Amino acid sequence: MITGMDSHMTTGVDEGLAARWAGWHAKREERLRQPHGWLSLTGLHWLSAEPRGFPGMPGTWRVREGSAEVTATEADGLIVRGRVLSGTDSVHVPDDDTITFAAFGDVGVEVIVRSGRYGIRVRDPHSALRMGFTGVPTFPVNADWVIDARLDRYPAPLDMEIDTAQEDLTGVESAVGVLRFSAGGQEHALVAFADNDGVTVVFTDATSGVSTAPWRALWAEVAPDEDIVRLDFNRAVNLPSAFSEYGTCPKPPAGNALSIAVEAGEQRPLG
């Protein structure tokens, strides 16, 4: 374990660490394999005020009066609120939220709002990506990549505008502070975003786009009154956009680029 300085590095694999990681990784892949998980995404369509149909999608969709609206006939077989829709229905979604709204057959349709824009995203359990999934390749578990970082908190959370996996879309994340740590003989700093009972860092490193995805994310638990955060880079994961072109995942903020090669965690997805 690295405890903030290279002089505290250990070598080899800690058996307890490896066992805990194996259980975590199995659950991670199980979530990816779920019928309507991230591997099931087959479409992302942005809506406008003009009613439009989309390939393979029943009904016509538009934005009207701050809601997503769909019109369909009984023959379309679109199920909304537990019944086959014959006419028009709508749903309001808060910004940066997602609501599962409709289905046809075993295909789910969710309505999303990103940066004030309404879209519909399709989840098909029979997607080629899900059906061909054989797991996520990873680096060997290594205790050297468990690092204690210091969280320098901002006086108040800072809303930060960032780019996303969709070129024409930006997002806003709540940054709580900067994580500072030592690794590879260098000092590093990563902006951390609030995420439930912890923080998430979205970062690149020298492996990005080579053996790993263009960027990855790492979640870490942190108590409200604590300033030491344990970063286990063995649990660095690919965001949904690494698997699918239909993800709206945040890119790393400026500066979240590690100059060293983080050979830990998930590698580039197969296929």
Side-chain angles (χ1 to χ4, degrees), residues 66-214:
S67 297
E69 182 182 271
V70 58
T71 299
T73 67
E74 186 172 349
D76 287 324
L78 186 67
I79 299 174
V80 177
R81 307 184 200 280
R83 60 181 177 83
V84 177
L85 181 64
S86 180
T88 298
D89 205 337
S90 64
V91 61
H92 174 77
V93 180
D95 201 6
D96 294 321
D97 206 351
T98 301
I99 292 178
T100 301
F101 176 62
F104 55 100
D106 52 6
V107 177
V109 182
E110 59 188 20
V111 178
I112 68 174
V113 176
R114 301 289 185 269
S115 300
R117 296 175 61 189
Y118 267 93
I120 54 175
R121 196 157 54 185
V122 185
R123 294 181 182 253
D124 184 350
H126 302 290
S127 73
L129 183 61
R130 178 174 179 268
M131 300 305 290
F133 181 64
T134 58
V136 183
T138 66
F139 291 101
V141 177
N142 189 338
D144 291 351
W145 283 109
V146 182
I147 301 174
D148 282 347
R150 185 181 75 252
L151 176 60
D152 289 343
R153 297 179 185 271
Y154 298 139
L158 174 65
D159 284 344
M160 183 177 293
E161 184 172 321
I162 54 174
D163 293 330
T164 75
Q166 301 295 321
E167 291 187 1
D168 58 347
L169 182 70
T170 60
V172 175
E173 296 288 340
S174 178
V176 296
V178 178
L179 288 165
R180 304 185 188 279
F181 59 95
S182 297
Q186 302 177 38
E187 298 295 319
H188 306 279
L190 294 173
V191 172
F193 298 132
D195 191 347
N196 296 320
D197 295 327
V199 294
T200 289
V201 289
V202 184
F203 68 95
T204 63
D205 66 274
T207 70
S208 298
V210 184
S211 57
T212 64

